[in-house]
Amino acid sequence: MIKFKAIVGTEENVVFEWGEKEEVNFKTGKNIVVVSLGEKKNFSPYVLRKSSALLIKKLKELKFTAASLGLDFFEDKKFSSEAVVEGILLGDYEFKRYKSDKRPDGDLEIALVTAKAKEMLEVKSGIDEALLVMDSVNYCRDLVNEPSSVTTPSYLASEALKIDGIKVKIFSKPEIEKMGMEAFLGVSRGSDEAPKLIRMEYAPHGAKKHVLLAGKGITFDSGGLSLKSDEHMESMKMDMAGGAAILGIFKALETLKPKVKVTGLIAACENMPSGKSIKPGDVLKAYNGKTIEVKNTDAEGRLTLADVLSYGVTLKPDVMIDLATLTGACMVALGHDIAGLFSADKNLSENLMRASESVGEKLWEMPLDGDYKKLIESPVADLSNVGEDRYGGAITAALFLKEFVSDIPWAHLDIAGPAFWEKVGPYGAKGASGFGVRLILKYLEGLL
Ligand code: BES
Ligand code: ZN
Ligand code: ZN
């Protein structure tokens, strides 16, 4: 268990330094750890978090039970204490639930040290904020790392109902049928697990803006009848990472208390093959009346989001943002560290980029190029659920979603790459990263 505290003083045994590469060095004999942050000109909050994540591994390896980190190296004490605590907790995370050896790590007390008494409060508020946010990030990671036989749609619904300080409504299958969400129901049809539409609402007094967050909530994506290969199916318990991020965000809202109304929507279901599954060639009608030819049942996330986003429009938010592990193509384009940002609204994409730079969850803006719209035309329906070929697959998927957002300012985050590290990620552990929780919380904070 790691405990953090803020203290005033000059005693430090963890010291930050500029250096040639980012790495954690250990100077023997003096019980001092030197954290090299790489070249000053390349420094960013991302570097500090990554180094702090490496640092915690080193401290544990060296069996430290207490350490004091000198923050005087940094100008901004709130930012640096927040980044250090986040990095340490990101790096410390392990999903041990199914390991026989569940022995907890030894206790470690980390003091963040500042020389000036008047900076104590800044350090303390940095620590407190980071602890709160990281609680949500690691909660999200647990949900994604859990096997999909545990995190079923009903399980996600029960998690939403456990969150304090918000209003939650779970729509059952008959209710979803009544609403006419054929695309969502189509995806869930092959599974024995009942679909759940989860709606969460955080509405503080005096809120001037209303942000709607939609998360892809496919609790397992086998591909359906367009079945995935074993290699591609292996990690598909992670296909609800967007939805899990929304649950994580809502968990933090009651304490963070941003003065903005937030609605969260998750269409949770499994994508499975069976005698009841949708078939390639089937046509489904989405909530907004548009018809979709399902050419490939593995492009299921956009079907569920078509219904969720067009339902979202009826709630008249000022802004809609979706987080979705939507395409392998986005992963091919941007790799495991960076999510694709698609938006026709400059103001919204700039705000998201600003939040991204501040929390170190990387985004790269991708084109929503209208010329590619012809690639998702269908001879029998209003739209096809896949492009003509696999090229530009992340863009055609985003253009498909755009058909369901009406004229509401909207951004789509394709988090297929950064949501789940199949190999060791930038902060250490393999598996879920909690991507999106810190980003969106920072974005909401910036709206005030
Ligand atoms: N859930 C996948 C996308 C994905 C792939 C997420 C890898 C994370 C890692 C999505 O439902 C999917 O299968 N997309 C297809 C779309 C294709 C059929 C047009 C893909 O990317 O191959
Ligand atoms: Zn799929
Ligand atoms: Zn999927």
Side-chain angles (χ1 to χ4, degrees):
M1 171 91 164
I2 305 177
K3 280 204 183 122
F4 294 92
K5 63 176 181 186
I7 60 170
V8 180
T10 48
E11 277 288 304
E12 303 161 359
N13 63 356
V14 177
V15 187
F16 292 96
E17 243 181 35
W18 300 121
E20 280 183 8
K21 5 182 224 171
E22 303 148 28
E23 61 181 22
V24 178
N25 294 318
F26 180 57
K27 283 190 188 160
T28 42
K30 276 182 77 187
N31 215 22
I32 281 189
V33 178
V34 179
V35 184
S36 170
L37 295 172
E39 288 185 59
K40 195 171 180 181
K41 66 173 170 38
N42 295 334
F43 183 71
S44 69
Y46 182 66
V47 171
L48 183 52
R49 285 189 187 84
K50 234 169 48 177
S51 303
S52 305
L54 284 174
L55 169 68
I56 186 64
K57 291 189 203 317
K58 197 76 194 175
L59 292 179
K60 278 161 97 178
E61 185 190 313
L62 298 168
K63 305 232 172 337
F64 272 59
T65 53
S68 44
L69 273 70
L71 286 187
D72 284 320
F73 184 79
F74 306 101
E75 244 164 59
D76 185 335
K77 301 294 181 292
K78 165 111 193 280
F79 146 74
S80 53
S81 54
E82 206 177 325
V84 165
V85 173
E86 282 183 12
I88 286 176
L89 294 176
L90 283 165
D92 185 50
Y93 176 87
E94 282 174 286
F95 185 68
K96 282 199 193 158
R97 184 147 175 214
Y98 298 99
K99 296 271 192 195
S100 317
D101 181 3
K102 286 198 198 56
R103 260 175 313 171
D105 296 326
D107 288 340
L108 170 57
E109 187 170 67
I110 296 183
L112 301 189
V113 190
T114 166
K116 297 190 191 118
K118 64 175 195 303
E119 289 175 346
M120 259 280 280
L121 272 184
E122 273 177 67
V123 176
K124 210 179 149 357
S125 83
I127 296 176
D128 289 346
E129 205 164 300
L131 286 177
L132 169 75
V133 168
M134 283 310 299
D135 197 40
S136 286
V137 172
N138 286 339
Y139 164 73
C140 167
R141 294 169 89 176
D142 279 350
L143 283 177
V144 178
N145 281 327
E146 273 290 348
S148 51
S149 299
V150 176
T151 44
T152 57
S154 312
Y155 185 96
L156 292 186
S158 67
E159 285 300 299
L161 288 166
K162 278 191 216 157
I163 302 176
D164 292 327
I166 60 168
K167 267 207 267 175
V168 179
K169 161 89 182 141
I170 309 295
F171 297 88
S172 64
K173 187 176 168 202
E175 286 170 301
I176 303 166
E177 278 167 350
K178 229 184 264 159
M179 292 161 92
M181 295 192 169
E182 254 187 40
F184 173 30
L185 288 166
V187 174
S188 84
R189 220 160 65 197
S191 163
D192 289 340
E193 291 289 339
K196 301 282 173 196
L197 174 65
I198 303 167
R199 187 183 72 200
M200 294 170 278
E201 194 184 291
Y202 163 79
H205 278 298
K208 291 201 179 71
K209 279 218 153 157
H210 178 193
V211 175
L212 186 136
L213 303 171
K216 174 170 170 181
I218 301 296
T219 59
F220 188 73
D221 181 11
S222 71
L225 289 180
S226 313
L227 198 65
K228 285 184 183 294
S229 65
D230 47 4
E231 183 201 343
H232 286 120
M233 206 189 296
E234 194 184 297
S235 57
M236 279 302 128
K237 65 176 184 184
M238 61 76 93
D239 214 16
M240 35 61 89
I246 311 258
L247 287 167
I249 292 162
F250 270 80
K251 205 163 140 51
L253 287 179
E254 199 203 6
T255 326
L256 273 183
K257 293 195 173 31
K259 254 211 157 74
V260 47
K261 178 174 169 183
V262 191
T263 300
L265 294 174
I266 307 166
C269 72
E270 284 183 339
N271 184 23
M272 296 291 276
S274 84
K276 289 182 286 170
S277 296
I278 36 164
K279 307 168 192 78
D282 279 356
V283 175
L284 303 170
K285 191 191 241 172
Y287 184 80
N288 71 349
K290 290 195 184 177
T291 56
I292 307 161
E293 182 186 7
V294 181
K295 285 202 182 136
N296 187 319
T297 64
D298 196 12
E300 82 299 335
R302 65 196 77 182
L303 296 173
T304 61
L305 284 166
D307 277 340
V308 161
L309 291 170
S310 39
Y311 171 66
V313 169
T314 67
L315 305 176
K316 300 191 172 54
D318 299 299
V319 163
M320 297 210 289
I321 302 169
D322 74 77
L323 290 94
T325 47
L326 205 65
T327 67
C330 200
M331 233 160 104
V332 172
L334 299 175
H336 261 303
D337 279 8
I338 310 171
L341 159 65
F342 298 80
S343 181
D345 190 279
K346 262 250 134 334
N347 186 35
L348 175 55
S349 57
E350 278 172 12
N351 284 341
L352 284 166
M353 285 308 282
R354 203 166 311 124
S356 153
E357 271 149 36
S358 157
V359 301
E361 293 194 323
K362 298 185 193 178
L363 297 179
W364 189 258
E365 192 163 359
M366 302 277 279
L368 257 180
D369 194 305
D371 280 351
Y372 286 0
K373 172 73 203 304
K374 60 177 179 300
L375 299 176
I376 49 168
E377 281 170 4
S378 155
V380 297
D382 298 336
L383 290 164
S384 155
N385 80 326
V386 290
E388 265 169 27
D389 52 35
R390 65 200 169 91
Y391 299 114
I395 303 172
T396 47
L399 286 170
F400 179 92
L401 297 183
K402 187 167 178 278
E403 293 299 305
F404 301 91
V405 298
S406 188
D407 51 5
I408 301 208
W410 156 78
H412 158 56
L413 302 179
D414 193 331
I415 61 169
F420 198 83
W421 299 315
E422 277 156 30
K423 301 201 178 76
V424 171
Y427 299 115
K430 282 185 183 185
S433 67
F435 190 96
V437 175
R438 291 185 300 118
L439 172 75
I440 298 295
L441 287 173
K442 187 58 84 183
Y443 163 79
L444 293 172
E445 217 176 275
L447 288 180
L448 309 184

